[in-house]
Amino acid sequence: MDDQSRMLQTLAGVNLAGHSVQGGMALPPPPHGHEGADGDGRKQDIGDILHQIMTITDQSLDEAQAKKHALNCHRMKPALFSVLCEIKEKTGLSIRGAQEEDPPDPQLMRLDNMLLAEGVSGPEKGGGSAAAAAAAAASGGSSDNSIEHSDYRAKLTQIRQIYHTELEKYEQACNEFTTHVMNLLREQSRTRPISPKEIERMVGIIHRKFSSIQMQLKQSTCEAVMILRSRFLDARRKRRNFSKQATEILNEYFYSHLSNPYPSEEAKEELAKKCSITVSQVSNWFGNKRIRYKKNIGKFQEEANLYAAKTAVTAAHAVAAAVQNNQTNSPTTPNSGSSGSFNLPNSGDMFMNMQSLNGDSYQGSQVGANVQSQVDTLRHVINQTGGYSDGLGGNSLYSPHNLNANGGWQDATTPSSVTSPTEGPGSVHSDTSN
DNA sequence: GACGATGATTATGA
DNA sequence: TCATAATCATCGTC
């Protein structure tokens, strides 16, 4: 037996009077029977009320208001009201039993977590995001991606702003609608039994509806962030040629350190700073350069000559100045009869001769950390002009005799290891052993 | 669009 | 961990 019929029966139990309802829904004919005169009176009352209730919606607003007032003042109202409340309470319990204790939506939780991690929701993370930072760290990049980072941050901030604006709008709309519904319910509670719990339940329903809208908003935001992120990461993969100046700096270093083109960390950092690229980009560049140079020495010959010639003068000047300086500082130094000019050998390690220039090593002299590289360059020029031939080919001006038989660069015997005691900490000389 | 140059990535080895 | 070698993907030039 359902609640409604039970209600009617309950009402019938208190002597429901039979009445046909005019102009509207017809109630089933009430049972007639065995009631007395007093019962007839109550039947009449209830019949009136039912009639009024059933016809109230068919009437104009004024008429309805008048009827509502009449109903409110009816002597049977409290009894009817309590019955309705009882029924509604039971109905409400059954509904609550089915709907209460909603477990948190895992999808919503995921969305929330992601938005939080990306810095879209939650407290402001300085406009940045963990993703951007992680991506930067992963690339080993420091400042190279600053432009992309700021771009990413700006876009993320935009998304964040839109998200919060929309969220605010939704919340406002939700609150307004809730208030409106609550007012309506309170208003209606004058004529029909609406318990505070029921209002609460209604509010819950509204909130659930709005939260589903919110979820859509969160989903869209997440998608936007994902797209932005993938674009950002793709952009990072994009190759951009280094500036001409940067390439020149790197090439100069490479060809002037051809005997050992392995820049130290410090050297890399300095090169990176000079070229406005990252240290890892410098490493990449040298890695590529080494392998490509080794693979096709002939192809790089011209380039090598070019850079060697370019730096030769500088190198010569620097070495000469250093020697002169050394002579000035130690006038009685033996074997200083070279007068700053090099007795260049056609074979053997030029560097060793440089070392014996003053009858001693560079220790104590201020020749500078770049001497070895300059020697490399000089050696190149010497080879070029002096027709050094190592049998690799007639056109090998700058012969790669730094490459060992295995195709690798000399390591332990490279000048770098020889000069290491004299090199200052700030030297850009390569000392990375292979 | 083809092609070479070049920066980045990845697998591998010492 | 770093260097090498191979490879990918994009850029720049013709």
Side-chain angles (χ1 to χ4, degrees), chain A residues 123-129 153 157:
Chain A
E124 180 82 42
K125 291 182 179 177
S129 80
R153 278 201 212 99
T157 308

PDB file of all heavy atoms in Angstrom, chain A residues 123-129 153 157:
ATOM      1  N   PRO A 123      46.192  27.502  -3.818  1.00  0.00           N
ATOM      2  CA  PRO A 123      46.884  28.786  -3.665  1.00  0.00           C
ATOM      3  C   PRO A 123      47.760  29.099  -4.869  1.00  0.00           C
ATOM      4  O   PRO A 123      48.251  28.192  -5.537  1.00  0.00           O
ATOM      5  CB  PRO A 123      47.754  28.561  -2.423  1.00  0.00           C
ATOM      6  CG  PRO A 123      47.916  27.082  -2.339  1.00  0.00           C
ATOM      7  CD  PRO A 123      46.677  26.481  -2.897  1.00  0.00           C
ATOM      8  N   GLU A 124      47.901  30.367  -5.112  1.00  0.00           N
ATOM      9  CA  GLU A 124      48.734  30.834  -6.227  1.00  0.00           C
ATOM     10  C   GLU A 124      50.169  30.390  -6.019  1.00  0.00           C
ATOM     11  O   GLU A 124      50.729  30.523  -4.940  1.00  0.00           O
ATOM     12  CB  GLU A 124      48.696  32.353  -6.299  1.00  0.00           C
ATOM     13  CG  GLU A 124      49.519  32.965  -7.410  1.00  0.00           C
ATOM     14  CD  GLU A 124      48.798  32.959  -8.744  1.00  0.00           C
ATOM     15  OE1 GLU A 124      47.601  33.249  -8.764  1.00  0.00           O
ATOM     16  OE2 GLU A 124      49.446  32.648  -9.750  1.00  0.00           O
ATOM     17  N   LYS A 125      50.770  29.829  -7.099  1.00  0.00           N
ATOM     18  CA  LYS A 125      52.152  29.372  -6.988  1.00  0.00           C
ATOM     19  C   LYS A 125      53.077  30.313  -7.728  1.00  0.00           C
ATOM     20  O   LYS A 125      53.974  29.902  -8.444  1.00  0.00           O
ATOM     21  CB  LYS A 125      52.294  27.971  -7.583  1.00  0.00           C
ATOM     22  CG  LYS A 125      51.616  26.890  -6.788  1.00  0.00           C
ATOM     23  CD  LYS A 125      51.880  25.565  -7.457  1.00  0.00           C
ATOM     24  CE  LYS A 125      51.244  24.427  -6.699  1.00  0.00           C
ATOM     25  NZ  LYS A 125      51.456  23.165  -7.396  1.00  0.00           N
ATOM     26  N   GLY A 126      52.814  31.542  -7.600  1.00  0.00           N
ATOM     27  CA  GLY A 126      53.673  32.515  -8.278  1.00  0.00           C
ATOM     28  C   GLY A 126      53.517  32.471  -9.779  1.00  0.00           C
ATOM     29  O   GLY A 126      54.416  32.793 -10.527  1.00  0.00           O
ATOM     30  N   GLY A 127      52.333  32.031 -10.192  1.00  0.00           N
ATOM     31  CA  GLY A 127      52.058  32.004 -11.615  1.00  0.00           C
ATOM     32  C   GLY A 127      52.736  30.858 -12.325  1.00  0.00           C
ATOM     33  O   GLY A 127      52.532  30.610 -13.488  1.00  0.00           O
ATOM     34  N   GLY A 128      53.548  30.136 -11.631  1.00  0.00           N
ATOM     35  CA  GLY A 128      54.263  29.050 -12.276  1.00  0.00           C
ATOM     36  C   GLY A 128      53.556  27.749 -12.061  1.00  0.00           C
ATOM     37  O   GLY A 128      52.465  27.694 -11.528  1.00  0.00           O
ATOM     38  N   SER A 129      54.189  26.702 -12.453  1.00  0.00           N
ATOM     39  CA  SER A 129      53.591  25.415 -12.231  1.00  0.00           C
ATOM     40  C   SER A 129      54.658  24.378 -11.984  1.00  0.00           C
ATOM     41  O   SER A 129      55.785  24.524 -12.391  1.00  0.00           O
ATOM     42  CB  SER A 129      52.767  25.004 -13.439  1.00  0.00           C
ATOM     43  OG  SER A 129      53.604  24.513 -14.425  1.00  0.00           O
ATOM     44  N   ARG A 153      53.730  30.249 -18.289  1.00  0.00           N
ATOM     45  CA  ARG A 153      53.153  30.801 -17.062  1.00  0.00           C
ATOM     46  C   ARG A 153      52.011  31.754 -17.375  1.00  0.00           C
ATOM     47  O   ARG A 153      50.975  31.732 -16.737  1.00  0.00           O
ATOM     48  CB  ARG A 153      54.228  31.513 -16.253  1.00  0.00           C
ATOM     49  CG  ARG A 153      55.030  30.570 -15.423  1.00  0.00           C
ATOM     50  CD  ARG A 153      55.709  31.296 -14.287  1.00  0.00           C
ATOM     51  NE  ARG A 153      56.964  30.645 -13.979  1.00  0.00           N
ATOM     52  CZ  ARG A 153      58.129  31.064 -14.405  1.00  0.00           C
ATOM     53  NH1 ARG A 153      58.215  32.152 -15.140  1.00  0.00           N
ATOM     54  NH2 ARG A 153      59.227  30.423 -14.106  1.00  0.00           N
ATOM     55  N   THR A 157      48.313  31.251 -16.266  1.00  0.00           N
ATOM     56  CA  THR A 157      47.646  32.261 -15.456  1.00  0.00           C
ATOM     57  C   THR A 157      46.305  32.622 -16.080  1.00  0.00           C
ATOM     58  O   THR A 157      45.311  32.796 -15.361  1.00  0.00           O
ATOM     59  CB  THR A 157      48.528  33.519 -15.336  1.00  0.00           C
ATOM     60  OG1 THR A 157      49.813  33.106 -14.890  1.00  0.00           O
ATOM     61  CG2 THR A 157      47.949  34.514 -14.363  1.00  0.00           C
TER      62      THR A 157
END
